[in-house]
Amino acid sequence: MTATAPEHVPVVVIGAGPTGLTAATLLARHGVPALVLERHRAPYPLPRAVHLDDEVHRILQAVGIHETFGAITRRARGMRLLDGSHRVLAEFRRDNPYGWHGFPEANMFDQPELEQLLRDNLAEQPLVTLRGGMEVTSLTPPPHNGAPVRVTFRDEDTGVTRTLLADSVLGCDGAGSLVRAVIGSRMQDLAAPQQWLVVDVRCRLPLPAWDGVHQICDPQRAATYMRIGEDRYRWEFRLRTGEQPEELTDRQRLLALIAPWTPGVPEDELNVLRTASYTFRAQVADRWRQGRIFLLGDAAHLTPPFIGQGLGAGMRDAHNLAWKLARVLTGRAGETLLDTYQAERHRHARQLIRTAVAIGAVMTGGGTVTALARSTALPALSRLPGASRLVLSAVSPPLRPGLLAGSRRPGHPRPGTRCPQPRIPDADGTPRLLDERLGEGFAVLATAPLSPALLALVRALDARVIHLHAPRRRRSGTGGAEHRAEVDPGTSALVRWMGTAGAVLLRPDRVVLATAARPRRPGTTCGDDLAAASAAWAALLCSSGRVSMKMGVFR
C-alpha cells in the first residue's frame, strides 16, 4: 500500500490567542493561506489582558474588527496615582476622545470577548482554517533552515497523531513555547520577577470610584485598579516577600483588600470571578527566527503590566511579520526581507519592557524614603502644563533606522514612525479613516505630482497613491484680502504632518519607509530623490524579476 503524503500548507500558526489569530487573519488578507492549530477548542473563559492602546486598535482595523471591538470596549479616562492611604498624589486625564491612530488611546476590554471576535472574523476568511483540540508535539526544521517544516500534532479527542508540512511556522504558543525550545532560543531577564495577585470581580452596581486607572504607589502593598467593562472590575496586588497567595484569597480578606473602592456596596453584589497568582516577568528571547520558523507574542517576550503593553506587543509582532512573510511566500520578495523581523521587533519589544520596568519602579518601588519623595514630586509634576499629555502619551518607540526605515530629512516625517490616521473624504465626500483609503499594501501620500521614477516605484510595489490637496490662499472679491480655501480637518492634519515632504511612502503596516522633497516650483514633480535612494531596500521588497534598476532609479 502506498503511504499517503503529508498534508502541505503554506503557513502553520501554533496558538489561537490574539497574536496567532491576528497573524493568520493578516496573512489571509495578504493572500496567503494559513492553518491555526490550538490545544483548546474555545477561548479561555476568564480575563487576562484588559488594555489595548490606539495603535493596537488600529491593528484590529487591519484585521477587520475595529468596529465590533469598539462596541465591547470602555475608554479609560486617565490615571490617578495614590499613596498607601488612597490620597490622590496626581491625576492625569485623557480629554481627547481619539488619539494619533484614530481611536481612543486607552481601551479596556475582556480578553475572552476579544478572542471570540477574532475567531468569528477568522471563520469568514476562506484562506484560514482553525483546528481546535490539537496539541503540537514536535517540529522538525529542514536542513540548512530551508523549507518545508515538519509539524506533528495530536488530536486530543481521538488520540490520533498526524503530520503535515509547512512552508513557514509561526510560534504563537505562549510563555512555555515549544517552538522557542525547538529553535534553541533562550529568554533573557531584563528585571527580577514579581509575584502579584489578580482579582476579577463582576458587580451589578457601579462602584463609587473614579472612572479611570488607579495606581497605588505604596511599596508595602502596591496595587492597581481598573474598570474594564460596564460591570467588570480588576485589581492587581503585589505580594510581599514570603507572602503566599492563599493568605489573600479568603473571601473576607479579598473584600478587605478591595474595600477602599467598594464603600456602600453590599457584599453579596461583589461576585469574585477569579483570583490568580501571576509572576510578572520582564524577558525577551535572544532568537526570534530560525529559517522560516518565527516566534511571536509571549513566546518572544514578556512585559510587566505597568504600561498595558503585553498583549499589544504580540499583535505588533503579527502586524510587522505578516506582510513581509506574504511577500516572500508569494514570490514578490526575497528571503532576506524576513531578516528585518527580529531586527525591528526585538529592539522595540526590549525598549517597551524596559519602559514598563522603569515606570513600575517609579510608581511602586523603593522604601519609605522613596515613598515620601513620590508624595512630594508627583503632585508637583501633575500641575505642570501638558503633564497629562506627557505622562499618558504613546510609549511605542519608533523603529530604528535601517533598510526598512531610512534616515530622516529635516522637516519630513521620521521614517520608522507610523503615520497618523485622521478621517479624510472618500471619492463621494464621505469621511473615512485613512487606512480604509490606503488598502492592504504599500501606499503613497502626496501633495504634488509624482515623477516618472516614483511612479515606476509605485507600480513595482503595487502601491496606492492618495493625493492630498493643501489649502491655498485666495484673494476675496472685495478689498483684495487673502483667505485660505476650506479643506477638511483630516486632510489638513495630514498635510501639516508631512511638513516639507511632497510624498511619503508607507509600508503595509503604516510605518513611514521614505519621503520625497516637495518640488520647489509649482507644476513640477517630486520623487526622483526618493526613487534614487531606494536601491537598498528595493532589493528586499521586490523580486528580481519584478523591477530592474539603473543608478538606483526604477525603470
Side-chain angles (χ1 to χ4, degrees):
M1 179 179 292
T2 304
T4 303
E7 179 184 3
H8 185 279
V9 295
V11 179
V12 168
V13 179
I14 302 176
T19 296
L21 295 171
T22 298
T25 305
L26 290 174
L27 284 168
R29 291 174 76 103
H30 286 292
V32 175
L35 170 65
V36 183
L37 299 177
E38 165 60 45
R39 185 163 58 91
H40 301 288
R41 291 198 172 275
Y44 184 70
L46 296 175
R48 287 165 289 170
V50 295
H51 170 270
L52 290 178
D53 63 18
D54 56 329
E55 180 183 334
V56 181
H57 199 160
R58 189 175 182 178
I59 296 173
L60 294 179
Q61 180 186 3
V63 172
I65 65 166
H66 59 294
E67 292 181 345
T68 51
F69 176 71
I72 67 168
T73 62
R74 184 178 186 86
R75 182 168 69 92
R77 305 298 179 179
M79 178 173 61
R80 274 184 179 173
L81 306 181
L82 304 95
D83 65 12
S85 299
H86 287 250
R87 292 186 294 259
V88 177
L89 300 175
E91 180 175 299
F92 306 101
R93 289 182 174 270
R94 295 187 185 274
D95 296 323
N96 191 342
Y98 299 105
W100 182 260
H101 298 281
F103 299 103
E105 293 177 310
N107 304 275
M108 311 306 293
F109 66 97
D110 186 17
Q111 183 171 333
E113 292 184 352
L114 169 61
E115 291 190 19
Q116 191 60 56
L117 289 180
L118 287 166
R119 283 177 175 241
D120 292 345
N121 185 61
L122 192 77
E124 299 177 1
Q125 309 296 324
L127 294 182
V128 185
T129 301
L130 169 62
R131 295 184 188 174
M134 303 294 171
E135 182 178 10
V136 176
T137 56
S138 68
L139 297 179
T140 306
H144 312 299
N145 295 331
V149 181
R150 185 175 292 270
V151 182
T152 302
F153 58 98
R154 182 178 63 250
D155 186 321
E156 294 199 327
D157 289 339
T158 66
V160 174
T161 296
R162 303 174 185 172
T163 297
L164 57 78
L165 302 177
D167 295 323
S168 181
V169 172
L170 307 189
C172 307
D173 50 342
S177 172
L178 167 70
V179 179
R180 186 175 66 240
V182 167
I183 69 173
S185 176
R186 296 177 179 272
M187 282 294 204
Q188 300 174 329
D189 290 317
L190 302 183
Q194 296 182 7
Q195 289 289 122
W196 287 66
L197 179 70
V198 176
V199 181
D200 288 301
V201 169
R202 172 176 278 126
C203 183
R204 180 179 57 87
L205 303 176
L207 300 190
W210 182 69
D211 201 12
V213 176
H214 299 198
Q215 180 62 56
I216 308 301
C217 303
D218 181 8
Q220 300 304 312
R221 176 70 78 196
T224 306
Y225 159 81
M226 297 163 283
R227 184 175 183 177
I228 62 175
E230 289 303 310
D231 63 349
R232 299 288 293 273
Y233 303 87
R234 167 168 290 188
W235 286 265
E236 297 168 352
F237 299 98
R238 187 170 65 196
L239 300 182
R240 296 166 180 164
T241 302
E243 191 172 44
Q244 300 301 314
E246 295 78 14
E247 300 174 39
L248 303 179
T249 52
D250 172 82
R251 181 171 173 82
Q252 291 308 310
R253 182 70 175 114
L254 275 179
L255 293 178
L257 281 175
I258 68 175
W261 293 273
T262 62
V265 178
E267 290 187 3
D268 58 0
E269 292 285 352
L270 299 169
N271 178 19
V272 179
L273 300 176
R274 180 186 68 146
T275 61
S277 174
Y278 276 94
T279 301
F280 292 160
R281 301 186 184 276
Q283 295 181 323
V284 62
D286 57 359
R287 294 182 61 196
W288 292 33
R289 175 194 175 202
Q290 177 180 315
R292 288 189 183 173
I293 303 175
F294 301 88
L295 302 180
L296 296 84
D298 286 355
H301 43 73
L302 296 170
T303 308
F306 297 108
I307 56 176
Q309 292 292 327
L311 183 146
M315 298 179 76
R316 289 185 177 96
D317 295 341
H319 203 209
N320 185 286
L321 178 60
W323 69 268
K324 298 173 181 177
L325 184 58
R327 289 191 75 85
V328 172
L329 294 179
T330 56
R332 293 175 291 168
E335 202 82 14
T336 312
L337 177 60
L338 301 177
D339 293 337
T340 66
Y341 169 61
Q342 177 169 346
E344 291 183 342
R345 287 297 305 141
H346 182 275
R347 174 182 175 272
H348 188 278
R350 188 182 184 92
Q351 188 169 337
L352 273 184
I353 294 169
R354 291 197 179 281
T355 298
V357 170
I359 290 177
V362 167
M363 293 194 301
T364 66
T368 304
V369 174
T370 303
L372 289 173
R374 270 196 295 264
S375 67
T376 301
L378 290 177
L381 171 63
S382 67
R383 290 191 292 268
L384 293 176
S388 290
R389 180 179 54 81
L390 176 65
V391 171
L392 299 176
S393 61
V395 295
S396 180
L399 301 181
R400 72 164 66 200
L403 288 177
L404 290 179
S407 58
R408 185 176 188 178
R409 300 178 180 184
H412 289 210
R414 177 179 176 179
T417 59
R418 283 180 169 80
C419 73
Q421 185 181 209
R423 293 181 180 270
I424 64 173
D426 206 339
D428 61 1
T430 303
R432 300 188 186 280
L433 288 167
L434 176 64
D435 289 357
E436 296 176 17
R437 298 283 310 276
L438 298 182
E440 307 282 354
F442 287 87
V444 173
L445 300 176
T447 58
L450 306 186
S451 70
L454 184 50
L455 287 172
L457 171 59
V458 166
R459 290 191 294 270
L461 294 176
D462 297 322
R464 182 174 296 182
V465 180
I466 302 294
H467 290 282
L468 306 172
H469 300 287
R472 298 178 180 178
R473 291 192 179 277
R474 296 179 181 177
R475 289 189 178 275
S476 66
T478 58
E482 289 187 349
H483 67 277
R484 284 188 175 273
E486 289 294 326
V487 175
D488 70 278
T491 299
S492 296
L494 278 178
V495 171
R496 287 194 301 271
W497 168 75
M498 289 178 64
T500 58
V504 177
L505 175 60
L506 301 175
R507 302 174 0 172
D509 53 6
R510 303 305 160 231
V511 170
V512 176
L513 176 54
T515 62
R518 186 179 297 166
R520 296 183 178 181
R521 297 189 306 277
T524 57
T525 62
C526 70
D528 284 345
D529 54 338
L530 188 158
S534 65
W537 48 260
L540 291 179
L541 296 172
C542 300
S543 62
S544 58
R546 286 180 59 83
V547 63
S548 61
M549 292 183 296
K550 183 177 181 181
M551 300 298 291
V553 179
F554 282 83
R555 301 295 185 187

